[in-house]
Amino acid sequence: MSAIIMFGSFGLLLLVSVPIGIALALSSIATLLFAQDMSLSFLAQGLITSVDSFPIMAVPFFILAGEIMGKGGLSKRLIKVAESVVGNVAGGFAMTTIITCLFFAAISGSGPATVAAVGGIMIPAMVQIGYSKQFAAGIVAAAGTLGVILPPSIPMIVYGVASGTSVGDLFIAGVLPSILIAALLMVYVYFYAKKKGYSGTGEAFSLKRVIRAFWDAKWALLVPVIILGGIYGGFFTPTEAAVVAVVYGLIAGVFLYKELRLKDLYEVFRNAALTTATIMLIIGAATAFGKIMIIEQMPSRIANGMLSISDNPVILMSLIVIMLLFIGMVMDTTAAIIIFTPLLIPVGVELGFDPVHYGMIIILTLVIGFITPPIGVNLFVASEISSLPIMKISKAIVPYIAVMVVALILVILIPEITLLLLGGK
């Protein structure tokens, strides 16, 4: 009965468009009032203790780093690098968008931030040279998902905290899947562009131009090297890496590229603070929500129920993926990770999955929710940038969802894609 009240009230609140953090808190209150075996102070404690965590401190700093670097001219130079490499082929501008999102993903750790930083420049540019606005908005929204697959990734940090898995291992495990997704998106874009007649820039490939673009973007390209090199070299933790990224971003934007002015800092900090507040409220409420489920023994019951359906790993994994795809459509990824990780970990252990590989499957499946209506946040950001209705972008995004599902299946079937850089552990 507690489960019915908890999920029923949560679903009802989502249907009437209550913000997800508030919906989680209100449904937790409803469950506590019904159960009467826990005080309402349990929710208040959960809201505070869940965000009072050293690994979680990385979240606001990576958000701030992404804002600083987007405003400081780093994204423009990354675009020039990508354009110099693939701009001359069919669909070259769309491929440039994908590669730039891949580069910017290694800076921001956020899908919506990647869409905003890259889309603000590339959507108008693609439309200007003849791409349809729907296609341009769709490719930016889809490629923006790389922001939460390539490290640093906020969902990976949240999953690592929720499951006890090494955040550093999750970061390195996300490198090859993100490259795989980018490559598959580029293959689709190439054939679509050939069909629609979307040509490249018309300029012949020039190694000199590539070298010049890389040199101009050297300070931006150093960011992932510093972050990942520092983490895996043992110089600092992921949280400390986030702080280093903020400091480096300020230095690069203000002193090296000289495009980040002091008067811009107010907007940068304001945007980062608003995004952080939203995410932290969701983390706090979702953690309390998840702890109530554990106290009510919901995870063990759900795990036992799933295992009773079949002991075939293929069937069980298919059920988990279908369930997470649906959850990703209606729930924020951060909240979904915190709530459903405790439910799914016992099933993964029973099936013998490596914790890092299993975590990447969960994250990749939920990340598809970034581009699926009705909650797909990347769609909303792309809609705002392109001034297109959500429904038009939702139609344009369907092929990209199919591409990401193909990538997900490959990651599930070939664990080496996730584990190779970890030594196949």
Side-chain angles (χ1 to χ4, degrees):
M1 192 62 191
S2 294
I4 293 172
I5 290 173
M6 175 174 270
F7 287 101
S9 59
F10 179 62
L12 182 63
L13 289 165
L14 287 183
L15 284 174
V16 296
S17 300
V18 174
I20 192 163
I22 296 172
L24 287 165
L26 291 176
S27 54
S28 298
I29 290 171
T31 309
L32 291 172
L33 290 173
F34 170 79
Q36 294 185 343
D37 55 359
M38 287 176 282
S39 166
L40 286 175
S41 62
F42 181 85
L43 176 62
Q45 291 170 354
L47 286 168
I48 300 301
T49 58
S50 59
V51 296
D52 184 19
S53 161
F54 184 71
I56 289 294
M57 283 177 63
V59 173
F61 285 110
F62 275 128
I63 291 170
L64 179 57
E67 287 283 344
I68 289 170
M69 293 176 188
K71 200 78 172 176
L74 280 75
S75 54
K76 287 193 297 187
R77 285 163 175 83
L78 294 175
I79 289 170
K80 288 292 184 184
V81 170
E83 186 182 339
S84 70
V85 176
V86 296
N88 62 315
V89 302
F93 251 61
M95 291 186 186
T96 297
T97 301
I98 295 168
I99 294 176
T100 306
C101 285
L102 191 66
F103 285 149
F104 197 79
I107 294 173
S108 70
S110 165
T114 301
V115 174
V118 178
I121 300 171
M122 291 306 296
I123 291 177
M126 281 191 278
V127 172
Q128 188 176 1
I129 64 169
Y131 287 76
S132 77
K133 190 179 281 189
Q134 276 181 263
F135 175 79
I139 191 63
V140 169
T145 60
L146 297 169
V148 290
I149 301 170
L150 188 70
S153 161
I154 291 169
M156 285 183 194
I157 295 168
V158 174
Y159 179 85
V161 173
S163 65
T165 307
S166 164
V167 173
D169 284 353
L170 289 168
F171 276 8
I172 203 71
V175 173
L176 293 183
S178 61
I179 294 173
L180 171 66
I181 291 171
L184 291 176
L185 287 172
M186 289 173 69
V187 169
Y188 168 76
V189 160
Y190 175 77
F191 286 106
Y192 183 86
K194 292 281 281 187
K195 179 182 175 183
K196 292 290 185 179
Y198 294 150
S199 59
T201 59
E203 296 183 44
F205 177 83
S206 165
L207 183 60
K208 184 178 179 180
R209 189 168 71 250
V210 172
I211 293 171
R212 188 165 59 245
F214 268 87
W215 178 254
D216 189 38
K218 60 184 178 296
W219 304 119
L221 294 169
L222 268 177
V223 175
V225 176
I226 292 170
I227 292 174
L228 297 180
I231 292 171
Y232 299 112
F235 297 105
F236 36 72
T237 66
T239 302
E240 292 163 345
V243 179
V244 170
V246 170
V247 175
Y248 181 87
L250 284 169
I251 293 171
V254 176
F255 300 107
L256 300 177
Y257 289 135
K258 299 180 181 178
E259 291 193 20
L260 183 64
R261 295 164 296 180
L262 290 177
K263 67 177 183 179
D264 295 328
L265 291 180
Y266 171 78
E267 184 184 352
V268 165
F269 280 93
R270 177 182 175 275
N271 291 341
L274 289 172
T275 305
T276 298
T278 302
I279 291 176
M280 289 303 186
L281 176 60
I282 291 171
I283 290 174
T287 302
F289 189 95
K291 285 181 178 178
I292 293 170
M293 286 198 303
I294 292 170
I295 291 170
E296 295 293 326
Q297 298 182 328
M298 294 180 203
S300 58
R301 290 174 185 171
I302 291 174
N304 291 334
M306 293 184 73
L307 291 170
S308 68
I309 295 172
S310 172
D311 57 359
N312 187 316
V314 175
I315 293 174
L316 284 173
M317 201 66 238
S318 299
L319 288 173
I320 289 171
V321 167
I322 291 169
M323 181 183 77
L324 289 176
L325 284 172
F326 175 74
I327 289 166
M329 291 172 63
V330 298
M331 186 182 292
D332 177 83
T333 301
T334 302
I337 289 172
I338 294 173
I339 292 169
F340 291 96
T341 293
L343 303 180
L344 297 175
I345 286 291
V347 182
V349 170
E350 191 69 28
L351 294 176
F353 274 92
D354 178 275
V356 175
H357 180 217
Y358 191 60
M360 283 305 304
I361 292 171
I362 292 174
I363 291 167
L364 283 173
T365 309
L366 289 172
V367 158
I368 296 175
F370 275 75
I371 54 172
T372 52
I375 307 293
V377 289
N378 282 16
L379 299 182
F380 285 97
V381 177
S383 173
E384 186 176 337
I385 293 170
S386 64
S387 301
L388 279 175
I390 284 290
M391 285 307 298
K392 284 195 172 184
I393 299 178
S394 298
K395 290 179 183 177
I397 206 71
V398 172
Y400 305 113
I401 295 174
V403 168
M404 293 194 66
V405 169
V406 170
L408 173 64
I409 293 170
L410 290 174
V411 168
I412 294 172
L413 296 178
I414 310 172
E416 289 76 13
I417 295 174
T418 301
L419 302 176
L420 182 65
L421 297 182
L422 290 168
K425 57 174 281 188

